[in-house]
Amino acid sequence: FKKDAYETMEASGDEPALSPRVAKLSEDMHSFASEVQDVKILDPSTGKEIHASDHKRRFFEAAWLHKYNGKYYFSYSTGDTHLLAYAIGDSPLGPFTYQDKILEPVKGWTTHHSIVEFESKWYLFYHDTSLSGKNHLRCVKIRELVYDAEGKIKLKEPQPKVEEV
């Protein structure tokens, strides 16, 4: 393992964070019907892309998209801060405006997830290491989500505190 090889892979400082990519699929879903493009996540106070130095809000990995009340919700992991964050947009191609975090860090630190509707309720699926205590042995968790009058996502019940992250 050569740590130095990974130090320049990610944007840093005041430049925009690395972006997820998106493209429209063709009708047969075997090829792209559009060019691949960056998904832009915007700071609500400036309207500009979130900077790479903003580790609590920038995209890192684990993208998920769902639609609620005509809006598209793009949720993702922030990486080394281990938060699950989300942004809202009018198109599945973006741009999306950052809203808030959904989930604090979990035991085992990975914040990969999905959000689905089932029988008129919304659920967040994610995993942690609470049963095994080992990062490579993860267990599935489920939490009910609710949306407030402005369309903001909240956990229906508060997240239990994590002793170790």
Side-chain angles (χ1 to χ4, degrees):
F1 176 75
K2 293 182 179 181
K3 181 181 177 184
D4 295 350
Y6 294 91
E7 289 181 357
T8 59
M9 289 179 61
E10 186 176 348
S12 63
D14 289 339
E15 57 186 307
L18 294 179
S19 299
R21 305 286 181 116
V22 66
K24 281 187 175 182
L25 286 174
S26 63
E27 208 45 50
D28 66 7
M29 298 181 73
H30 288 274
S31 60
F32 294 142
S34 73
E35 293 294 318
V36 176
Q37 64 188 49
D38 287 341
V39 173
K40 300 200 181 307
I41 302 171
L42 309 176
D43 182 319
S45 62
T46 66
K48 295 183 180 181
E49 289 181 71
I50 291 178
H51 289 166
S53 61
D54 189 346
H55 288 227
K56 290 189 175 193
R57 300 187 308 162
R58 57 93 190 253
F59 170 82
F60 185 77
E61 64 182 358
W64 187 264
L65 184 72
H66 73 280
K67 188 176 182 182
Y68 175 78
N69 278 356
K71 295 285 187 181
Y72 293 91
Y73 288 70
F74 180 78
S75 48
Y76 56 94
S77 171
T78 58
D80 61 358
T81 52
H82 312 297
L83 299 170
L84 177 60
Y86 76 101
I88 299 175
D90 293 320
S91 163
L93 304 177
F96 296 93
T97 302
Y98 177 85
Q99 299 299 307
D100 203 352
K101 60 185 180 262
I102 301 170
L103 200 63
E104 298 287 342
V106 298
K107 192 170 188 177
W109 59 258
T110 61
T111 315
H112 298 181
H113 70 292
S114 60
I115 297 173
V116 297
E117 181 183 20
F118 179 71
E119 294 185 355
S120 300
K121 291 184 179 183
W122 287 89
Y123 296 95
L124 168 67
F125 290 87
Y126 62 100
H127 61 257
D128 71 13
T129 62
S130 60
L131 295 178
S132 70
K134 297 180 181 179
N135 202 32
H136 67 288
L137 297 174
R138 301 170 183 166
C139 58
V140 176
K141 301 286 186 164
I142 182 172
R143 304 293 305 279
E144 187 175 348
L145 296 176
V146 292
Y147 296 84
D148 69 15
E150 296 176 351
K152 307 277 185 171
I153 297 175
K154 303 288 179 207
L155 295 174
K156 185 171 182 184
E157 301 292 329
Q159 180 180 351
K161 296 292 180 201
V162 175
E163 293 176 21
E164 255 178 64
V165 178

